[in-house]
Amino acid sequence: MEQIIRLDVSKSGVAVPAEMQERACRANTLLHTGEGAGNDFLGWVHLPSSITDAELAAIEEQAARLRDRAEAVVCIGIGGSYLGARAVLEALSDPFAALRPRREGPAVLFAGQNLSEEYTAALLDALKERSFAVIVISKSGTTTEPAIAFRLLRAELERRYGKQGAAERIVAITDRARGALKTLATQEGYATFVIPDDVGGRYSVLTPVGLLPLAVAGIDIRALVRGAVELERVTAEDTPFDENPAARYAAVRNLLYAEGKKIEILGSYEPALQYLNEWWKQLYGESEGKEGRGIFPASVTLTADLHSMGQYIQQGERILFETIVSVAEPAHRVEVGSDAENLDGLNFLAGRRISEVNRMAELGVQLAHVDGGVPNLRIEIPRIDARTVGALLYFFEKACGISGYLLGVNPFDQPGVEAYKKNMFALLGKPGYEKESEEIRKRL
Ligand code: PA5
């Protein structure tokens, strides 16, 4: 079978010593034995291979129901309850769908991932002339951004279709027992899917959190899961270091961090993968950035960002390394044409594919950055499709767990995300925050 993820660290400037190889393999083992930190949240490790046909069928059935009922399906969620679906959707969708005369199935839109009144007003306005349905996703069931968006969209659905009609157009994805969303869903009789207790938000893309919105968008979720299963096998507990790309990636990035490379830039020469960067930033930022430690995850989209961030990467502070997700073969073929006058001087490219130009840009940049002191890691996938994207998701998840353990942190908690919430609730005068409210106002 073709190798789905190829990791090339030959331009990273580091060789992984035996001791680090052993530590990375041990960290991988800990994820399987559940003896490491955060072991209540390891449900994602065997998730791909344990998804049953019945579970996938239930998701597909619900997706078909929503597709039948609505011209637009709004997915409400934030962080891990949003980024995975968005990343896969952007990677696998037609970027010019808006211009196609006929679209297949509903438009999939997102809400609850910000508190912007402008965004909310524009969304409500766009939905005025369209039938719509809602998938509301929140593990805790209490997150402010999605809760506000849901209140608004639920009210609009109830205004249009009445309570019963609205309930038929709402699917809630949340905890099996706790949280305001669960209570609401039970009371109103919404269809529900459960986010397993042992799968944290940023590791939840292969649960209904990601799979239902993607199935609604017409994406082949079975192929996505198959790709993840392949990587689950490739990175299994007993895989030797040299054959385990997740362990190798985790080891190399930790060695670079120890050498002072505190920022990792994830980039790709395919704009379709831009949101994968966003998903990856959350995964690694929330998993590793704690206790005063952690590689700062940044991202670029190339070649566009060579014309903005390229200068800094080449010559700014030498605290960077980069990881490029490279796609071996594009699905389409476009060649540069020949021009009789050649006024733009591009005839030397006539007859050559755009992808060849892109590849030479990638190789040229790689060498320039390495020469400039930016170590380079390269992750190659054969093409962009549901299977390879599923594999990438699991690869990054597994590497993140290993990397967090190598760094010595618990990669499955996020205590730092609570701090701002206390301030925000105090400023908004939420009941129960009276004392904090008084104190914070004095500081403004
Ligand atoms: O990874 C995480 O745990 C977070 O990013 C959460 O997904 C995010 O805060 C949303 O939480 P919830 O799903 O509880 O609304």
Side-chain angles (χ1 to χ4, degrees):
M1 190 181 262
E2 111 191 293
Q3 205 178 332
I4 192 164
I5 300 268
R6 286 174 192 271
L7 174 69
D8 179 358
V9 297
S10 62
K11 303 240 171 346
S12 69
V14 295
V16 184
E19 181 262 336
M20 181 52 123
Q21 297 190 15
E22 272 163 39
R23 283 183 56 212
C25 287
R26 252 200 325 273
N28 190 31
T29 302
L30 287 181
L31 293 171
H32 288 266
T33 58
E35 288 165 319
N39 53 8
D40 285 349
F41 290 97
L42 293 174
W44 58 273
V45 174
H46 295 294
L47 180 67
S49 62
S50 38
I51 301 175
T52 63
D53 191 62
E55 283 165 339
L56 289 171
I59 290 170
E60 286 164 343
E61 216 172 278
Q62 185 57 251
R65 235 168 45 88
L66 294 175
R67 283 168 71 88
D68 278 352
R69 286 219 158 101
E71 292 168 274
V73 173
V74 187
C75 301
I76 300 178
I78 195 165
S81 292
Y82 154 67
L83 284 161
R86 180 104 199 224
V88 179
L89 186 67
E90 301 277 338
L92 300 178
S93 301
D94 173 2
F96 302 107
L99 295 181
R100 304 291 178 206
R102 280 184 39 188
R103 50 174 313 125
E104 292 229 340
V108 173
L109 312 174
F110 293 93
Q113 82 282 34
N114 60 54
L115 286 168
S116 162
E117 193 158 336
E118 297 300 353
Y119 184 95
T120 312
L123 175 67
L124 290 170
D125 190 60
L127 292 172
K128 257 191 205 146
E129 309 293 324
R130 303 258 179 248
S131 60
F132 74 97
V134 164
I135 302 174
V136 54
I137 309 168
S138 177
K139 186 169 187 199
S140 63
T142 55
T143 307
T144 309
E145 293 91 334
I148 291 176
F150 185 47
R151 179 179 275 219
L152 287 166
L153 292 177
R154 181 165 57 100
E156 178 58 18
L157 283 175
E158 287 177 0
R159 191 187 65 74
R160 283 194 208 179
Y161 306 108
K163 269 204 172 264
Q164 181 58 31
E168 286 164 11
R169 289 168 173 79
I170 294 172
V171 179
I173 306 180
T174 189
D175 188 83
R176 82 181 69 242
R178 283 165 304 178
L181 180 57
K182 174 66 193 168
T183 311
L184 193 60
T186 308
Q187 188 176 307
E188 302 294 325
Y190 303 150
T192 54
F193 286 90
V194 169
I195 308 175
D197 286 346
D198 56 358
V199 179
R202 57 190 176 275
Y203 293 85
S204 68
V205 55
L206 296 168
T207 71
V209 169
L211 298 182
L212 181 62
L214 293 169
V216 168
I219 282 164
D220 182 351
I221 57 170
R222 289 175 189 261
L224 190 81
V225 170
R226 267 200 307 278
V229 171
E230 281 182 54
L231 256 287
E232 188 186 319
R233 296 211 176 106
V234 168
T235 65
E237 186 183 352
D238 53 0
T239 309
F241 179 81
D242 284 339
E243 291 164 32
N244 184 338
R248 289 172 57 227
Y249 174 54
V252 170
R253 62 197 298 283
N254 273 275
L255 290 169
L256 289 169
Y257 180 61
E259 286 180 6
K261 301 296 186 190
K262 293 188 183 288
I263 298 175
E264 177 178 8
I265 305 173
L266 187 76
S268 173
Y269 288 76
E270 290 298 338
L273 298 183
Q274 199 166 350
Y275 260 91
L276 189 85
N277 295 346
E278 300 306 314
W279 171 82
W280 171 89
K281 283 195 279 197
Q282 188 215 358
L283 180 63
Y284 281 76
E286 265 188 7
S287 299
E288 295 193 318
K290 50 197 71 159
E291 299 170 31
R293 274 178 279 171
I295 296 169
F296 181 82
S299 68
V300 287
T301 297
L302 303 163
T303 60
D305 284 335
L306 295 175
H307 302 262
S308 64
M309 298 300 288
Q311 172 60 36
Y312 190 103
I313 299 172
Q314 191 67 48
Q315 294 185 326
E317 280 235 49
R318 302 299 71 192
I319 51 173
L320 315 171
F321 68 98
E322 64 186 4
T323 300
I324 300 297
V325 178
S326 187
V327 181
E329 191 58 32
H332 301 95
R333 192 180 180 94
V334 182
E335 288 174 6
V336 179
S338 168
D339 186 281
E341 293 187 62
N342 195 28
L343 292 177
D344 53 13
L346 281 181
N347 270 358
F348 75 103
L349 294 176
R352 290 158 87 173
R353 292 178 70 175
I354 304 283
S355 58
E356 185 192 342
V357 184
N358 205 20
R359 177 51 50 98
M360 293 312 127
E362 180 180 334
L363 296 178
V365 169
Q366 182 190 53
L367 292 180
H369 287 180
V370 169
D371 291 345
V374 180
N376 178 284
L377 283 67
R378 192 159 169 276
I379 296 162
E380 188 183 273
I381 54 174
R383 70 197 75 77
I384 301 177
D385 61 21
R387 171 178 163 255
T388 60
V389 171
L392 264 183
L393 295 174
Y394 190 86
F395 163 78
F396 278 129
E397 288 180 354
K398 194 62 176 301
C400 188
I402 298 173
S403 187
Y405 282 167
L406 289 177
L407 187 67
V409 298
N410 174 357
F412 308 112
D413 67 0
Q414 55 284 327
V417 302
E418 294 308 315
Y420 91 91
K421 291 185 191 165
K422 194 172 79 157
N423 289 352
M424 181 177 79
F425 291 144
L427 287 168
L428 287 168
K430 184 174 178 178
Y433 286 79
E434 291 74 11
K435 190 161 161 284
E436 289 90 343
S437 193
E438 204 179 297
E439 276 163 18
I440 201 166
R441 279 173 202 287
K442 284 190 212 138
R443 291 177 57 200
L444 287 178

